[in-house]
Amino acid sequence: MEAQFPGQAPSLWRRMASFLYEGVLLFGVTFISGYLYAALTQQRSALIGKSGLQAFEFVVLGIYFIWFWTHGGQTVAMKAWHLRVVDEHGAPLRQGRALARYLLSWLWFLPALASVHFAELHDGGAIFGALLAGVLGYVLLARLHPSRQFLHDLLCRTRVITQLPPARKKP
């Protein structure tokens, strides 16, 4: 039997719009952190120290998401789309659960990235197509669940809810 969560579940379209907006914002985060990494390590070529840069970006993204999810339950994109992540009881996430959610959220991309690696794809279009197919497959999995939750939320017992701002009183 599924637990009863407080708050209304947002539509998949709303969550995907927030996902796309998050991607735009994260471009800036990764650009600045990549520049910082290059400056600190004196990296002159993107191919030299690539693994270190990837690990650094993974940590930076983890800090970004974990901090926002444990301090109000909303990233910038989630605020714009009035979404909030809560635990199974409707409470804010603690750091351990936020870390688990961050790590498990890579399920969005890992199957596609693994297929790109094992198929030895190097063409940008093929890589983009594999990632797009992986993301769409992940969304379709959510459509199979009665409350339309994503796999990483089910596994770490979290839920994304609609968090509309309080209505303003008319003067």
Side-chain angles (χ1 to χ4, degrees):
M1 184 171 163
E2 185 177 333
Q4 293 297 318
F5 291 97
Q8 178 184 358
S11 69
L12 286 175
W13 290 111
R14 182 185 206 124
R15 285 187 280 171
M16 291 308 298
S18 176
F19 177 85
L20 289 173
Y21 184 36
E22 197 78 69
V24 171
L25 296 172
L26 289 179
F27 177 80
V29 171
T30 58
F31 181 81
I32 291 169
S33 60
Y35 181 77
L36 175 65
Y37 179 84
L40 291 174
T41 63
Q42 299 297 307
Q43 182 184 24
R44 301 285 180 233
S45 170
L47 297 177
I48 298 172
K50 184 172 89 169
S51 296
L53 175 60
Q54 289 171 337
F56 182 75
E57 293 289 7
F58 182 80
V59 170
V60 167
L61 292 176
I63 291 168
Y64 171 87
F65 283 110
I66 292 167
W67 192 87
F68 277 111
W69 291 338
T70 57
H71 291 84
Q74 297 174 296
T75 62
V76 175
M78 292 172 81
K79 283 181 184 182
W81 285 93
H82 305 296
L83 304 176
R84 180 180 305 276
V85 64
V86 295
D87 72 8
E88 62 189 331
H89 305 293
L93 300 188
R94 295 181 182 251
Q95 284 188 348
R97 193 175 301 247
L99 173 62
R101 187 174 195 267
Y102 171 68
L103 294 173
L104 288 170
S105 69
W106 282 94
L107 290 172
W108 278 94
F109 306 106
L110 283 179
L113 291 174
S115 66
V116 164
H117 175 73
F118 291 120
E120 298 181 5
L121 298 176
H122 301 287
D123 177 58
I127 294 170
F128 177 78
L131 285 170
L132 182 62
V135 167
L136 291 176
Y138 201 76
V139 171
L140 290 175
L141 278 176
R143 292 199 44 85
L144 297 175
H145 191 269
S147 63
R148 303 286 197 249
Q149 290 300 307
F150 291 116
L151 181 59
H152 63 278
D153 283 317
L154 293 170
L155 293 173
C156 41
R157 297 182 320 211
T158 57
R159 184 171 178 95
V160 176
I161 61 170
T162 299
Q163 183 73 47
L164 296 174
R168 292 186 181 196
K169 293 182 181 178
K170 293 183 181 178

